[in-house]
Amino acid sequence: MTNRTAFITGASRGIGRACALALSEAGARVALAARNTTQLEELAAEIRSKGREAFAVTVDMANAESIHEALAKTAKEFGPVAILVNNAGITKDGLALRMKKDDWDSVLATNLTGAFLASQQVLQHMMRERWGRIINISSVVGEMGNPGQANYVASKAGLIGLTKALAQEMGSRNITVNAVAPGFVETDMTQKLSQELKDNLVGHIALKRIGQPEDVAAAVCFLASEEARYITGHVLNVNGGLYM
Ligand code: NAP
């Protein structure tokens, strides 16, 4: 993927950060997108210190205008996006019966609508180039369901549907669209879970350990590679055997 431009949302920490480092290592120019500019600038500096190209760009994935501006700035700096990783995601958990509409709306806006809008925008160029990779970061709970996360689960299941629909629409243009469904990964998102819950979860994971962001990044990097050219509409589980 040398000299291709990759745009990674939620690149400031966790899984997105690991994806940016892995894609950069594989030769891509990386546009690092999130709301927190300080963390993005630090990562961009780290990548540049290794002699690779990186660009920090602020984006709020819950805001259509912000997505449009971030992708336009990236195109100006690095050329159009060839690899899009829709990774930005949030949780606002609560039982469905008591869930506030705002908590439903903001999770769907960031996790699903933002991914759709970013895909729509990058597809224009990918269609002209007859080459493109879109990788949506879903979740094991998008496949299994999870109590207390109706909004998050709906957004992650929605990403799987979006992946399959786009894969069918775009296949004839040599654009692949896939999803990665991580299981339980050690990041800020999962830090708030109690030790008891984590121990219980590990008991259900075949590989008997929690995942690391790099485990997910390796799968993303593969799907972005030339070697993955005949894979589209696929959901790649990276969950240590938590769900099969
Ligand atoms: P994380 O550590 O909480 O990081 C989330 C990232 O998303 C941050 O970079 C954050 O940056 C960004 N983000 C959040 N809201 C945003 C917005 N409105 N606009 C732009 N960027 C936004 O989470 P993570 O664990 O790495 O998760 C990454 C993805 O993997 C998510 O989609 C998550 O649902 C999925 N996932 C995670 C796990 C897990 O166990 N950790 C499992 C399955 C799936 P700013 O706050 O700076 O904007």
Side-chain angles (χ1 to χ4, degrees):
M1 65 195 79
T2 307
N3 291 330
R4 294 204 193 271
T5 299
F7 186 92
I8 304 109
T9 72
S12 54
R13 54 180 193 269
I15 293 170
R17 185 180 195 279
C19 289
L21 285 165
L23 288 166
S24 157
E25 202 64 39
R29 293 188 207 100
V30 289
L32 314 168
R35 293 167 302 180
N36 182 329
T37 319
T38 314
Q39 281 179 310
L40 293 178
E41 290 291 0
E42 281 168 14
L43 178 59
E46 184 184 327
I47 291 172
R48 284 194 213 107
S49 73
K50 297 177 189 162
R52 304 186 191 274
E53 288 183 273
F55 168 60
V57 60
T58 313
V59 74
D60 178 1
M61 291 303 289
N63 181 311
E65 210 169 298
S66 172
I67 295 169
H68 185 83
E69 277 173 23
L71 285 165
K73 274 187 203 160
T74 301
K76 212 168 163 194
E77 184 81 13
F78 274 172
V81 172
I83 301 164
L84 170 67
V85 183
N86 283 314
N87 163 79
I90 55 167
T91 53
K92 288 202 176 167
D93 297 351
L95 290 173
L97 269 179
R98 277 186 243 126
M99 187 173 284
K100 293 193 179 69
K101 185 175 177 294
D102 280 355
D103 290 345
W104 172 273
D105 287 345
S106 61
V107 168
L108 268 290
T110 303
N111 298 8
L112 182 58
T113 310
F116 165 68
L117 293 172
S119 302
Q120 209 178 27
Q121 198 170 326
V122 300
L123 280 168
Q124 314 273 349
H125 170 77
M126 290 177 179
M127 282 168 70
R128 275 197 297 275
E129 285 295 304
R130 296 201 167 255
W131 199 96
R133 298 278 190 267
I134 296 179
I135 299 144
N136 295 318
I137 307 300
S138 178
S139 167
V140 65
V141 302
E143 301 172 293
M144 291 172 70
N146 201 24
Q149 289 199 305
N151 48 1
Y152 183 75
V153 169
S155 73
K156 295 297 176 180
L159 278 175
I160 292 175
L162 175 66
T163 298
K164 293 181 180 182
L166 284 181
Q168 291 182 28
E169 287 187 27
M170 292 299 148
S172 64
R173 314 297 175 108
N174 194 35
I175 297 164
T176 70
V177 187
N178 291 290
V180 170
F184 185 54
V185 183
E186 196 173 350
T187 68
D188 288 355
M189 189 176 268
T190 49
Q191 210 179 19
K192 48 194 168 201
L193 302 179
S194 70
Q195 195 54 45
E196 194 189 343
L197 194 79
K198 287 184 193 175
D199 292 344
N200 182 36
L201 254 166
V202 170
H204 291 93
I205 299 172
L207 291 173
K208 298 296 167 216
R209 69 168 176 88
I210 288 168
Q212 293 302 310
E214 292 72 21
D215 298 328
V216 182
V220 169
C221 223
F222 167 64
L223 290 172
S225 73
E226 200 53 52
E227 287 72 18
R229 65 183 85 85
Y230 202 56
I231 301 172
T232 196
H234 185 68
V235 182
L236 182 48
N237 289 335
V238 184
N239 63 27
L242 172 63
Y243 174 79
M244 301 180 192

